Amino acid sequence: MNGIILYKSKYGATKKYAQWLSEDTGFESREISKVKVSDLSPYDILVFGGGVYAQGVAGVDFLRKNFNALSDRKIIVFCDGASPYEKKAFDFIKNRVMKDELKDIPFFYCRGGWDMEAMSFVDRNLCKMLRKAVAKKDPSEYEVWEAALMAAGEEKCDWTDRAYLKPILEEIESYR
């Protein structure tokens, strides 16, 4: 079986994971924005990756929009974000993003990075406002993502790790 890794990366972590998956599988890796649904006809396995932004996953809209044309393939979706994995948060994102026709698609989480300097003006200001709001809380009551947000601060952090790809690679192997 042949496959392709499609990704939407705003700040680089998703692209890094897509490149690692490409190296480990031999699958081509391409940005979703440079692909038409007709380009995907030769592939049996489609792996979609995107960052978590505002409780959504970048690039999933392409899958949702084109699901009827793609549903006869093996589809896998992964996302990455700045927070460490936490089941409650992951389930929230999964239930929000992978609903309706996407609900049975395997879905995975990889930890990404944090770089306030590289963020767009809007993203940087939204994060600063969010940090101010979280700072008003008692740190002992922080959710996992809030603790990660406050710990990262203004520092550049890269939590990407090939180990996060293990369950994705196992899922791909189960299709071969």
Side-chain angles (χ1 to χ4, degrees), residues 58-71:
V60 170
D61 54 335
F62 177 91
L63 175 58
R64 186 171 302 287
K65 179 181 170 189
N66 297 294
F67 185 74
N68 288 338
L70 303 174
S71 63

Side-chain angles (χ1 to χ4, degrees), residues 17 81-83 111-114 148 151-152 157-161 164:
Y17 281 120
S83 296
R111 193 161 187 204
W114 179 262
C157 303
D158 182 355
W159 300 289
T160 56
D161 188 331
Y164 289 115

Side-chain angles (χ1 to χ4, degrees), residues 1-4 40-46 72-75:
M1 296 188 110
N2 60 338
I4 188 168
L40 303 178
S41 60
Y43 301 102
D44 304 305
I45 301 172
L46 308 174
D72 61 333
R73 320 300 163 70
K74 303 297 183 185
I75 300 172

Side-chain angles (χ1 to χ4, degrees), residues 50-142:
V52 175
Y53 302 104
Q55 302 172 349
V57 175
V60 170
D61 54 335
F62 177 91
L63 175 58
R64 186 171 302 287
K65 179 181 170 189
N66 297 294
F67 185 74
N68 288 338
L70 303 174
S71 63
D72 61 333
R73 320 300 163 70
K74 303 297 183 185
I75 300 172
I76 299 167
V77 177
F78 73 91
C79 64
D80 62 83
S83 296
Y85 175 83
E86 196 265 326
K87 183 171 177 20
K88 182 177 144 189
F90 176 75
D91 288 345
F92 177 83
I93 295 293
K94 181 177 182 181
N95 292 333
R96 183 177 168 94
V97 174
M98 303 299 289
K99 59 187 175 188
D100 304 323
E101 67 273 10
L102 306 184
K103 70 181 178 357
D104 295 324
I105 294 173
F107 185 63
F108 300 93
Y109 182 81
C110 306
R111 193 161 187 204
W114 179 262
D115 186 354
M116 291 279 284
E117 214 172 273
M119 288 182 192
S120 70
F121 176 78
V122 172
D123 287 351
R124 186 173 41 257
N125 284 313
L126 286 172
C127 288
K128 284 180 181 181
M129 289 181 350
L130 185 57
R131 283 180 45 80
K132 283 182 183 178
V134 171
K136 294 176 184 175
K137 293 177 72 173
D138 179 344
S140 67
E141 296 177 10
Y142 285 170

Side-chain angles (χ1 to χ4, degrees), residues 27-44:
F27 293 174
E28 179 182 359
S29 173
R30 292 176 59 189
E31 287 184 62
I32 290 175
S33 64
K34 297 179 179 174
V35 173
K36 293 180 277 181
V37 72
S38 59
D39 297 336
L40 303 178
S41 60
Y43 301 102
D44 304 305

